[in-house]
Amino acid sequence: RRQRQMCIRDRGVAAYESAVLNMQDNPNSSVRYLKKARMTFPDSYTVQYNLAHALMKTARFSEAADTLQSIAAVFSPRSEFVSLYSLALMKSRRYKDALNYIIRVYRMTGDEQAAMIAGDIFLESGDFEQAKNYYEKAIKKPSAQNAYVNLIQIYIHQGKYRQALSKCDEFAKRFTD
C-alpha cells in the first residue's frame, strides 16, 4: 500500500514537472499534465495556479477563472494573482464578477495597479466614465504610462479634446526628460 502511494505521488510530481517544462512551448500539453498533477495533489495551490496560467495561454479563460476562484482566498491580494484572475474573468466576459473582485481589491489595498485593471475592465465593457475614473486613480502610480494613454484615448473618443490635450501635456512633463 505504501509503495502504491509513493508511485502515485511520483507520477504526480512527474506530471507537474512535465507541465512546467512544456509551459512555454506547448501549453496544451501543460494543461493535460497539470490536470493529472491536480488529481494527485488536489490541495496544492501551486498546481491550481499554474493550471490556471496554462489555461490562460490556451485561451480557456472561463476554466482559468473557475480554477482561480477556487484558490482566491489564499492568494488575494497578491498582485500577480489579482492580475491573472481579473484578466481571466474579463476575457471570459464576466465583467460584473471581474469588477466586483478588482474593486474590492482596490478598496482593500488602494493599489494603483488594481485601479488600472478596473479601468481596463470598464473600458472593455464599454463604460467609459467609470474607466476614466479608475484611470485617474491609476495615474498616481509612478509607472502609469498605460493609464495615461487609455485616459487620453477615452477623452478623444468622447470628443473632450481639451482634456485629452491637458493629459498629453501632463504625460509629456511626467515621462520625458
Side-chain angles (χ1 to χ4, degrees):
R1 179 168 164 81
R2 180 166 164 75
Q3 189 174 12
R4 178 171 159 65
Q5 287 176 331
M6 292 290 285
C7 184
I8 291 171
R9 179 174 165 69
D10 289 346
R11 280 189 293 201
V13 169
Y16 180 77
E17 289 175 353
S18 295
V20 171
L21 291 172
N22 281 299
M23 185 71 81
Q24 292 300 327
D25 299 330
N26 192 346
N28 282 311
S29 179
S30 281
V31 168
R32 266 193 328 277
Y33 285 125
L34 285 163
K35 284 184 175 184
K36 287 179 184 178
R38 181 173 62 179
M39 289 171 48
T40 306
F41 307 111
D43 297 328
S44 172
Y45 303 122
T46 303
V47 170
Q48 296 281 59
Y49 180 82
N50 285 315
L51 174 58
H53 203 290
L55 288 164
M56 290 293 289
K57 287 183 175 232
T58 60
R60 292 153 71 180
F61 305 120
S62 188
E63 192 176 351
D66 293 342
T67 300
L68 290 166
Q69 183 179 14
S70 71
I71 58 172
V74 175
F75 281 96
S76 279
R78 293 184 192 164
S79 63
E80 66 277 354
F81 178 85
V82 169
S83 297
L84 188 63
Y85 187 36
S86 300
L87 182 62
L89 289 168
M90 182 176 76
K91 291 286 189 179
S92 60
R93 300 198 178 283
R94 290 157 58 181
Y95 299 122
K96 184 177 178 183
D97 292 338
L99 288 167
N100 286 339
Y101 175 72
I102 199 65
I103 290 170
R104 187 173 63 241
V105 168
Y106 177 73
R107 287 181 180 152
M108 282 175 17
T109 64
D111 180 36
E112 289 87 5
Q113 181 63 31
M116 178 70 187
I117 293 168
D120 290 346
I121 296 167
F122 278 119
L123 184 62
E124 175 83 13
S125 68
D127 188 338
F128 297 117
E129 285 303 312
Q130 284 295 334
K132 193 168 52 175
N133 290 339
Y134 278 91
Y135 287 139
E136 286 286 353
K137 294 173 184 177
I139 62 175
K140 295 175 186 166
K141 187 174 183 170
S143 61
Q145 294 175 348
N146 289 340
Y148 270 101
V149 170
N150 291 346
L151 192 54
I152 291 164
Q153 289 175 343
I154 288 171
Y155 281 129
I156 291 170
H157 177 78
Q158 293 176 329
K160 297 179 179 177
Y161 302 111
R162 288 181 197 247
Q163 287 96 329
L165 188 57
S166 173
K167 288 297 173 191
C168 283
D169 289 342
E170 197 176 305
F171 178 86
K173 288 176 188 169
R174 186 166 173 188
F175 295 107
T176 57
D177 295 321

